[in-house]
């Protein structure tokens, strides 16, 4: 079997997905599959740059916040005409849990072409991908229209206000199935992986609050928040998103007040999935 670097460009899928979180990778791959698009994956920015230096892709989906080199730093290298990548003009779509206008401007200023927030809203994701990479959805994968509409509603309601959190499901199985490409086996695998990830997941977040480490708090809540949203853990997602916002705003006291809620929601998800 040929190594990746020995493959011809004709054998390389059109999309390079750059994402360090396996759950988020799986969801994005399923959504691309539903749109009839294949993808390679890179687990970090450095790996992405190596692949872009040996092969040309038609589109890059770039996570913004990754350990080590960030997606913004990687984009700046890709756009640098003196770098080793083969296509400096390849379209790059940012994927991030950061949703402020300041975040969008930072991504676009670095040279990205579009901006998507996590959890991925299905209709928006498909629209953006097909704008940069026009394809006809595979008839084998079914009609996208019903899933797109429902997925947009589920994604939008994932960020419900704190007072409404109790009315949200612990796990939105309908949303999960949509993000799994209507594949029950993939949905079960996502839940299994998330259940494993939740083991002691609150400890580094609590430790960051106790230590007053806002950077660590933002990092830990960000990593868990995107995965929670993508598997339909809507109540947990809401708490994590609020804590992450407080961390970025420098409001440690407000984040600390949410620690009991965080433990409650982590326990609720683990109970449902056990």
């Amino acid at each position: 079997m040929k190594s990746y670097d020995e493959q011809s460009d004709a054998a390389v899928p059109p999309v390079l997905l750059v994402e360090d979180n396996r759950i988020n990778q799986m969801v994005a791959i399923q959504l691309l599959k539903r749109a009839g698009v294949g993808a390679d994956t890179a687990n970090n920015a450095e790996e992405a740059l190596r692949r872009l230096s040996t092969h040309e892709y038609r589109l890059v989906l770039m996570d913004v916040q990754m350990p080590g080199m960030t997606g913004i730093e990687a984009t700046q290298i890709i756009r640098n005409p003196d770098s080793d990548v083969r296509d400096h003009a390849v379209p790059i779509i940012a994927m991030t849990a950061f949703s402020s206008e300041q975040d969008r401007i930072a991504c676009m200023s670095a040279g990205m072409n579009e901006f998507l927030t996590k959890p991925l809203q299905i209709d928006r994701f498909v629209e953006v991908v097909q704008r940069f990479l026009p394809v006809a959805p595979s008839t084998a994968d079914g009609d996208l229209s019903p899933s797109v509409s429902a997925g947009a509603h589920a994604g939008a309601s994932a960020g419900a206000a704190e007072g409404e959190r109790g009315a949200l499901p612990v796990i939105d199985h309908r949303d999960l199935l949509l993000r799994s490409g209507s594949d029950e086996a993939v949905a079960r695998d996502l839940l299994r992986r998330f259940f494993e990830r939740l083991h002691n997941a609150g400890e580094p977040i609590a430790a960051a609050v106790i230590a007053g480490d806002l950077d660590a708090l933002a990092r830990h809540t960000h990593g868990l928040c995107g995965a929670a949203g993508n598997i339909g853990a809507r109540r947990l997602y809401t708490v994590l998103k609020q804590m992450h916002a407080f961390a970025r705003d420098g409001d440690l006291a407000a984040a600390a007040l949410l620690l009991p809620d965080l433990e409650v929601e982590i326990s609720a998800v683990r109970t449902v999935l056990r």
Side-chain angles (χ1 to χ4, degrees):
M1 178 180 294
K2 291 183 178 181
S3 69
Y4 178 86
D5 289 341
E6 293 173 325
Q7 294 179 12
S8 67
D9 281 332
V12 175
V15 175
L16 178 62
L17 170 64
V18 189
E19 169 65 68
D20 67 301
N21 184 299
R22 179 56 181 158
I23 290 174
N24 294 342
Q25 275 188 12
M26 291 174 66
V27 169
I29 288 170
Q30 288 302 310
L31 296 182
L32 287 168
K33 182 179 178 182
R34 289 293 301 271
V37 178
D40 277 335
T41 58
N43 296 312
N44 53 58
E46 292 85 355
E47 182 181 349
L49 292 175
R50 288 195 297 272
R51 295 197 172 193
L52 289 165
S53 70
T54 56
H55 293 287
E56 292 188 14
Y57 292 89
R58 294 168 58 194
L59 181 66
V60 175
L61 299 177
M62 181 75 76
D63 185 20
V64 173
Q65 190 68 27
M66 293 179 284
M69 185 186 298
T70 68
I72 286 179
E73 292 168 335
T75 298
Q76 291 170 333
I77 292 174
I78 292 167
R79 297 298 186 228
N80 183 346
D82 295 326
S83 69
D84 292 333
V85 303
R86 291 178 57 172
D87 182 3
H88 301 287
V90 60
I92 302 173
I93 299 174
M95 299 191 304
T96 176
F98 302 157
S99 57
S100 73
E101 180 64 13
Q102 182 180 358
D103 295 317
R104 190 192 69 80
I105 291 173
C107 289
M108 305 303 276
S109 297
M112 294 181 175
N113 301 88
E114 190 51 274
F115 183 87
L116 294 174
T117 57
K118 300 176 188 176
L120 297 171
Q121 294 189 28
I122 300 173
D123 60 342
R124 170 73 172 153
F125 179 84
V126 172
E127 181 271 320
V128 169
V129 168
Q130 292 188 341
R131 187 193 331 147
F132 287 96
L133 192 67
V135 291
S138 169
T139 55
D141 291 328
D143 182 12
L144 276 171
S145 301
S147 297
V148 167
S149 177
H153 173 75
S157 59
E162 180 180 4
E164 303 171 0
R165 193 176 77 239
L168 296 174
V170 176
I171 298 290
D172 187 333
H173 290 279
R174 180 168 176 265
D175 188 30
L176 169 64
L177 192 59
L178 290 171
R179 296 176 190 280
S180 305
S182 300
D183 188 321
E184 294 277 3
V186 172
R188 288 193 297 271
D189 192 19
L190 285 169
L191 291 176
R192 177 187 61 79
R193 290 174 182 273
F194 192 68
F195 179 81
E196 293 173 353
R197 181 167 184 180
L198 283 182
H199 180 65
N200 295 329
E203 292 183 2
I205 295 175
V209 170
I210 293 170
D213 190 338
L214 290 168
D215 289 338
L217 178 60
R219 184 171 64 253
H220 291 305
T221 52
H222 169 267
L224 193 58
C225 183
N230 271 329
I231 65 101
R234 290 164 60 187
R235 284 164 49 174
L236 176 57
Y237 166 82
T238 300
V239 174
L240 287 164
K241 185 174 183 180
Q242 291 169 340
M243 294 190 76
H244 184 264
F246 288 140
R248 296 192 77 198
D249 291 341
D251 194 341
L252 193 65
L257 290 175
L258 287 175
L259 283 175
D261 290 346
L262 177 66
E263 289 303 315
V264 166
E265 299 305 345
I266 288 176
S267 177
V269 173
R270 287 181 60 84
T271 297
V272 168
L273 298 184
R274 186 170 290 118

